[in-house]
Amino acid sequence: MAKLLVGNWKMNGLKASLAEASLIAASAAAAKSHAIQLAICPPATLLASLSEAVSGTGLLTGAQDCHEKVSGAHTGDISAAMIQDAGGYFVIVGHSERRADHHETSAVVRAKAQAGLDAGLVPIICVGETRAEREAGQAEAIVLGQVDGSVPDTFPAEGLVIAYEPVWAIGTGLVPSAVDVAAMHRAIHQRLVDRFGSAGASVRLLYGGSVNGGNAGELLHLDHVDGALVGGASLTADGFLKILHAIQE
Ligand code: PGA
């Protein structure tokens, strides 16, 4: 399975940021020769222009959320078909910032993932425990519960991605131990195989939360860690490509 490095720009980026994406795109072909796929999920305002700017380079793009409905009276929302129309390949759903800021439950996340699949996108479903949940010894139960509730019943082989992102590791510089990351990824993989068989085994599992050029080498070589979802370090080509170089070695 090719490794997948996805940059999540969150609410960052103006037109000037397209230059960073173009610098990242210039490394996409070399990454591919090392079986590494690169993607950037910019804010919705930049998705069409960024997708056009990097078209043909091998750098994929995606959105950070979608509405669960196809169209209609939902002011301010964006449908999966619009993302596809703007050149997107992925759609991130259920990021912990959306689960927290917009009260998105796993049922809502599942409906959004389904909408993404229906539009031909590859959903990246985010799951992860809070610090309090980990300290209470509940991390695995919480995460597997989110996996159960957020993953639709059917999806094409390799057509779904899950990102394990401990909430306490996002944007904090804190990263779980390699042992803890490996254990969680093994548990998620097993849960998906139990429910979906070989299709479950084809789901790529990303780690996310304070990934940078210094820790990516160790994290991304763990079993069942098929790539990373990167926030802060993806905002500059320099930061993102440091991660690429760390895992290419
Ligand atoms: P971070 O964000 O890399 O800045 O911790 C990761 C994410 O939220 O996807």
Side-chain angles (χ1 to χ4, degrees):
M1 234 188 298
K3 292 253 192 252
L4 178 58
L5 271 189
V6 181
N8 170 13
W9 282 6
K10 309 190 181 184
M11 199 171 71
N12 299 290
L14 301 172
K15 278 186 269 182
S17 316
L18 295 181
E20 296 298 323
S22 295
L23 287 171
I24 293 168
S27 291
K32 208 163 191 176
S33 69
H34 285 87
I36 301 167
Q37 176 71 61
L38 303 182
I40 293 291
C41 297
T45 47
L46 290 181
L47 181 59
S49 51
L50 196 151
S51 298
E52 206 172 305
V54 305
S55 160
T57 63
L59 175 65
L60 298 176
T61 64
Q64 301 170 12
D65 176 50
C66 68
H67 196 275
E68 65 263 39
K69 297 264 170 57
V70 172
S71 63
H74 303 288
T75 301
D77 280 310
I78 291 171
S79 76
M82 291 170 184
I83 293 164
Q84 205 269 341
D85 187 50
Y89 183 89
F90 294 105
V91 60
I92 299 170
V93 292
H95 190 282
S96 62
E97 287 151 17
R98 293 207 59 92
R99 288 181 189 258
D101 295 355
H102 299 271
H103 315 292
E104 292 186 3
T105 62
S106 286
V108 167
V109 174
R110 177 187 174 127
K112 292 182 172 208
Q114 185 65 56
L117 290 169
D118 291 345
L121 300 173
V122 173
I124 300 174
I125 299 174
C126 301
V127 296
E129 83 284 359
T130 63
R131 161 69 75 194
E133 288 161 348
R134 177 156 287 273
E135 282 171 358
Q138 310 224 298
E140 190 174 304
I142 292 289
V143 167
L144 295 183
Q146 290 174 342
V147 169
D148 291 346
S150 307
V151 176
D153 279 333
T154 56
F155 51 85
E158 299 188 28
L160 187 81
V161 178
I162 292 182
Y164 167 54
E165 300 203 303
V167 177
W168 52 272
I170 294 175
T172 57
L174 301 172
V175 175
S177 69
V179 170
D180 285 346
V181 172
M184 190 64 85
H185 279 242
R186 194 181 321 114
I188 296 170
H189 175 80
Q190 191 55 53
R191 190 69 149 221
L192 293 168
V193 169
D194 289 348
R195 180 169 162 202
F196 298 106
S198 60
S202 82
V203 175
R204 278 167 292 176
L205 305 183
L206 311 183
Y207 168 76
S210 297
V211 174
N212 59 39
N215 57 30
E218 181 183 23
L219 291 168
L220 274 75
H221 282 112
L222 298 171
D223 279 352
H224 301 303
V225 178
D226 305 308
L229 183 54
V230 184
S234 75
L235 293 175
T236 62
D238 184 51
F240 197 55
L241 295 176
K242 277 195 178 120
I243 298 171
L244 172 65
H245 297 144
I247 64 171
Q248 255 177 211
E249 276 152 20

